[in-house]
């Protein structure tokens, strides 16, 4: 049975691998890899915002500050990802911007692992960590597939997330039908 920390750390590895794939590919392969990266980052962050951060806020001394720092990083990353999402992956500015985003996203992931996940594991029972993993998977299944800067809290995700997810998933389906692969 997976716990939420193991699940999210595995996803951090998948995100790292997707950045590698985008950077080393070209043409349609780069575009396809980037679409997968955008989707992975969008659903991953939404699930953390809805499930993990609310528990972390209450679980340990300083949790509120740790979560606020992560939310600030997530908003900045969503803004950069949103700009990249509107670019052509063949554009000369794409890779430098992607590398800048990668640096920030990986620093954010290390901060989560070091300051948030360690404390969650220390202060949360195995049963609850397993239930949180199931909740993360459920949140990811319903999450928007593109970044939405300014929607970084559980409440905002619940209010705006369902509509954003419906719009994103409709847009992805149309793109795919038109041969533009999400």
């Amino acid at each position: 049975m997976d716990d939420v920390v193991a699940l999210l750390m595995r996803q951090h590895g998948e995100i790292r691998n997707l950045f590698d794939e985008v950077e080393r590919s070209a043409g349609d392969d780069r575009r396809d890899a980037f679409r997968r990266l955008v989707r992975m980052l969008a659903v991953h962050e939404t699930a953390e915002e809805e499930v993990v951060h609310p528990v972390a806020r209450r679980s340990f001394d300083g949790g509120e500050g740790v979560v606020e720092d992560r939310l600030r990083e997530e908003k900045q990353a969503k803004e950069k990802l949103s700009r990249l999402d509107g670019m052509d992956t063949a554009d000369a500015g794409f890779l430098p911007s992607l590398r800048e985003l990668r640096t920030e996203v990986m620093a954010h992931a290390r901060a989560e692992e070091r300051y948030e996940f360690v404390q969650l594991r220390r202060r949360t029972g195995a049963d609850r960590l397993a239930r949180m993993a199931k909740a993360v998977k459920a949140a990811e299944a319903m999450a928007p597939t593109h970044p939405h800067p300014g929607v970084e809290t559980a409440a905002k995700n619940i209010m705006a997330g369902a509509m954003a997810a419906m719009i994103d998933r409709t847009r992805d389906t149309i793109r795919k039908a038109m041969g533009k692969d999400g």
Side-chain angles (χ1 to χ4, degrees):
M1 182 184 305
D2 225 354
D3 78 33
V4 73
V5 173
L7 172 65
L8 296 173
M9 289 181 69
R10 193 168 51 253
Q11 288 181 352
H12 286 174
E14 291 171 25
I15 289 165
R16 215 173 358 264
N17 292 341
L18 280 168
F19 271 112
D20 287 344
E21 187 177 343
V22 174
E23 286 185 40
R24 72 171 178 261
S25 59
D28 289 347
D29 290 339
R30 175 176 287 162
R31 187 195 70 227
D32 296 347
F34 180 65
R35 291 284 161 238
R36 290 193 315 276
L37 175 64
V38 168
R39 182 184 184 93
M40 178 78 183
L41 285 170
V43 301
H44 174 85
E45 291 304 332
T46 297
E48 285 181 339
E49 292 160 5
E50 290 181 5
V51 177
V52 179
H53 297 330
V55 173
R57 280 183 192 278
R58 304 183 304 271
S59 293
F60 56 91
D61 288 340
E64 185 75 33
V66 167
V67 169
E68 287 306 312
D69 289 345
R70 300 301 73 81
L71 292 175
R72 190 170 33 262
E73 295 161 0
E74 288 168 11
K75 184 174 189 289
Q76 291 170 342
K78 284 180 183 181
E79 289 167 353
K80 286 186 177 175
L81 185 61
S82 186
R83 285 192 298 275
L84 275 167
D85 197 20
M87 289 177 80
D88 185 327
T89 56
D91 185 290
F94 179 80
L95 274 181
S97 295
L98 180 81
R99 289 181 181 122
E100 185 179 304
L101 175 67
R102 178 189 185 134
T103 299
E104 292 175 15
V105 166
M106 298 318 335
H108 167 75
R110 283 190 302 277
E112 283 180 334
E113 292 168 5
R114 185 174 299 136
Y115 303 116
E116 193 171 8
F117 296 176
V118 167
Q119 292 296 334
L120 279 174
R121 209 174 248 139
R122 282 185 188 148
R123 307 201 186 297
T124 308
D127 287 349
R128 185 163 192 204
L129 291 173
R131 286 192 311 273
M132 287 173 69
K134 288 179 183 174
V136 162
K137 289 176 186 174
E140 288 176 341
M142 302 293 291
T145 58
H146 294 271
H148 294 277
V151 182
E152 282 83 33
T153 65
K156 287 181 182 177
N157 273 309
I158 290 167
M159 288 175 41
M163 182 59 75
M166 186 175 68
I167 292 167
D168 287 353
R169 291 169 189 266
T170 301
R171 182 173 73 175
D172 293 346
T173 300
I174 291 167
R175 275 183 169 173
K176 191 167 193 158
M178 293 181 68
K180 296 181 181 174
D181 195 31

